Amino acid sequence: MKKNNVNLISAGMMSVLVVSFLSCSSKPEHGSIKGNLKNFKDAYVYLDELTATSVVPKDSVKADAEGNFNLKYDAKEPGFYRIRLSEKNFVLLVMNKQEQVEFSADANNLGKTAKVKGSPESIKLMEMTNKLQRNAEKLDSLNMVFQREQANPRIDSIKEILQNMYVKMMDEETTFIKSYIDNNSSSLTCLAVIDKLSPDDYLESYVKLDKGLSKAMPNNAYTKLFHDRVADMMALSVGSNAPEISLNTPDGKNIALSSLKGKVVLVDFWASWCRPCRAENPNVVRIYNAYKDKGFDIYSVSLDKDKDMWVKAIADDGLVWPSHVSDLGYWQSSVVKQYKISGIPFTCLIDKSGKIAAKGLRGEELELKIRELLSVK
């Protein structure tokens, strides 16, 4: 009996040890952020998740008298978060599931002073954004010098020097961002900076990031949203077929953009209420008259909502070409989403085969591209 009791006790002890071991070695159920803030006590710290479509509060806690706090979060996938003290005083993080993060900062400026341990992606994000912030501060300094020297008799030469410095700094920033994306194409942190690159000039960076994220985390909400965005860019990229537009003229006649295939066509998005559009119209008229007999035409798409105002503007500005169309949908017009229009005037130049040759050109740049496509010397 005594021997059996010893065996029973040993088995019980063993089960306790096994349970303890498993508890210590398994991943925690929740992620946490253990933090300390200088110049901050007895006030609330907030944690928000920045989803692909909204801001979701995740936790809040009152810091103690020494500025210590502990926030918790439950993440199903990697994502963007922010620790904030107010709407203007916050820092962005990119955290994975159940990370145990250590955070410290000066409460007077979280963005500039934050330090993180235990979250590799957050560390990368901070290093990148700090570099870009330093560049932004240098650009601000250039602007301050320019403003200060306005009365200087040598302002023209000073302006040229500052402009050259500005261009060099922006080129360096673009090179840095492109290189960062090339080396981190499977990281969500790239989404924080890729918008600094023009899709028209750096579409390959968008495509590379899309491929990297889709391979690394295909089911992530950010990945899916970005993938859809890149697909839209590809559909409107230079060299792609121009999306079809088929709308009515003021007298009810339907004209399709494809009906002008074989010509170089300027698709001009404008409206009677748009002052910059109206200011640009004399140049558009001049270009039309100069090249209409050389294989050039204009397809004008109006974002008007008042037919009478639209018709009056066509007459007042002497827009004599026949292809004027609109659905009078204003910013709800079908073409706004179709061509991803965020402002007007906006132009798409279509070559003779119906492919997009250029976007957003105006003035001299527009005319030079038209001459190139028409092979006019």
Side-chain angles (χ1 to χ4, degrees):
M1 283 294 294
K2 188 174 182 180
K3 185 176 180 180
N4 290 337
N5 284 340
V6 170
N7 289 338
L8 183 61
I9 292 171
S10 299
M13 289 297 294
M14 180 60 72
S15 66
V16 170
L17 289 173
V18 169
V19 171
S20 298
F21 176 77
L22 290 175
S23 298
C24 293
S25 63
S26 63
K27 291 184 178 180
E29 293 183 3
H30 297 279
S32 70
I33 302 173
K34 182 180 180 181
N36 176 264
L37 295 173
K38 294 181 180 179
N39 302 311
F40 191 79
K41 62 180 182 178
D42 299 328
Y44 276 89
V45 184
Y46 302 89
L47 178 67
D48 301 322
E49 181 182 5
L50 309 181
T51 74
T53 57
S54 62
V55 177
V56 180
K58 301 301 289 187
D59 196 10
S60 63
V61 66
K62 192 173 185 180
D64 67 18
E66 283 75 43
N68 298 309
F69 65 89
N70 200 320
L71 294 163
K72 293 183 179 180
Y73 71 97
D74 185 14
K76 296 180 180 179
E77 61 181 4
F80 285 92
Y81 293 80
R82 70 176 180 183
I83 294 176
R84 66 175 170 89
L85 306 182
S86 69
E87 289 300 322
K88 293 184 178 180
N89 190 8
F90 62 87
V91 64
L92 289 179
L93 306 173
V94 176
M95 296 190 296
N96 210 332
K97 294 180 286 186
Q98 286 75 55
E99 287 182 334
Q100 305 302 297
V101 180
E102 295 180 22
F103 178 90
S104 63
D106 188 322
N108 292 321
N109 191 324
L110 295 186
K112 279 190 175 183
T113 62
K115 295 181 180 179
V116 169
K117 294 181 180 179
S119 177
E121 290 294 279
S122 294
I123 294 171
K124 284 166 58 176
L125 179 63
M126 286 184 181
E127 290 174 347
M128 175 188 63
T129 54
N130 286 340
K131 180 177 177 62
L132 294 176
Q133 179 60 37
R134 289 193 296 270
N135 197 57
E137 290 170 356
K138 291 178 182 178
L139 293 173
D140 287 342
S141 296
L142 288 183
N143 184 57
M144 290 175 63
V145 172
F146 176 72
Q147 297 299 328
R148 187 176 65 238
E149 298 295 332
Q150 286 296 303
N152 192 316
R154 298 177 56 249
I155 184 61
D156 289 342
S157 60
I158 292 173
K159 181 179 179 181
E160 183 178 355
I161 293 171
L162 294 176
Q163 181 66 25
N164 289 336
M165 292 176 65
Y166 174 83
V167 170
K168 182 180 179 182
M169 291 170 65
M170 291 305 297
D171 286 345
E172 290 174 349
E173 179 174 288
T174 297
T175 299
F176 167 74
I177 293 172
K178 189 175 183 303
S179 177
Y180 183 87
I181 292 170
D182 286 342
N183 294 322
N184 298 277
S185 61
S186 62
S187 172
L188 289 179
T189 61
C190 295
L191 295 178
V193 292
I194 193 164
D195 281 333
K196 287 181 172 287
L197 299 181
S198 166
D200 291 335
D201 298 327
Y202 298 97
L203 182 61
E204 71 277 5
S205 293
Y206 283 81
V207 172
K208 184 167 187 176
L209 180 56
D210 177 38
K211 289 181 179 179
L213 291 177
S214 295
K215 182 178 180 180
M217 49 188 87
N219 297 317
N220 186 281
Y222 295 96
T223 297
K224 291 179 179 180
L225 194 65
F226 186 70
H227 176 76
D228 290 343
R229 184 181 169 202
V230 173
D232 288 339
M233 289 178 181
M234 295 290 287
L236 287 171
S237 64
V238 171
S240 63
N241 291 320
E244 178 69 293
I245 303 173
S246 185
L247 297 174
N248 290 340
T249 64
D251 59 8
K253 179 183 177 182
N254 185 273
I255 299 180
L257 174 59
S258 58
S259 68
L260 300 179
K261 188 173 182 179
K263 295 182 177 182
V264 172
V265 180
L266 175 66
V267 184
D268 185 22
F269 298 93
W270 74 296
S272 65
W273 46 262
C274 170
R275 289 186 179 182
C277 302
R278 303 295 294 274
E280 180 69 9
N281 275 345
N283 184 58
V284 178
V285 171
R286 182 188 63 78
I287 289 175
Y288 176 73
N289 289 329
Y291 302 103
K292 64 180 181 179
D293 296 325
K294 296 179 173 64
F296 173 71
D297 211 336
I298 297 177
Y299 187 86
S300 288
V301 185
S302 170
L303 299 189
D304 273 287
K305 57 183 176 180
D306 185 307
K307 180 179 177 180
D308 291 338
M309 293 293 291
W310 173 35
V311 172
K312 185 176 186 301
I314 293 172
D316 289 349
D317 292 1
L319 312 183
V320 294
W321 49 91
S323 300
H324 286 276
V325 300
S326 179
D327 57 11
L328 298 176
Y330 194 48
W331 285 110
Q332 285 70 49
S333 172
S334 59
V335 298
V336 171
K337 183 177 181 180
Q338 188 179 20
Y339 274 78
K340 312 303 174 188
I341 301 170
S342 59
I344 53 175
F346 175 68
T347 60
C348 270
L349 195 57
I350 314 300
D351 67 17
K352 294 179 181 181
S353 67
K355 297 183 182 298
I356 297 175
K359 295 187 294 182
L361 299 185
R362 295 167 64 180
E364 183 180 357
E365 285 186 316
L366 174 60
E367 184 170 7
L368 287 173
K369 189 64 178 179
I370 290 171
R371 292 176 67 86
E372 176 190 324
L373 294 173
L374 292 173
S375 300
V376 174
K377 296 182 179 180

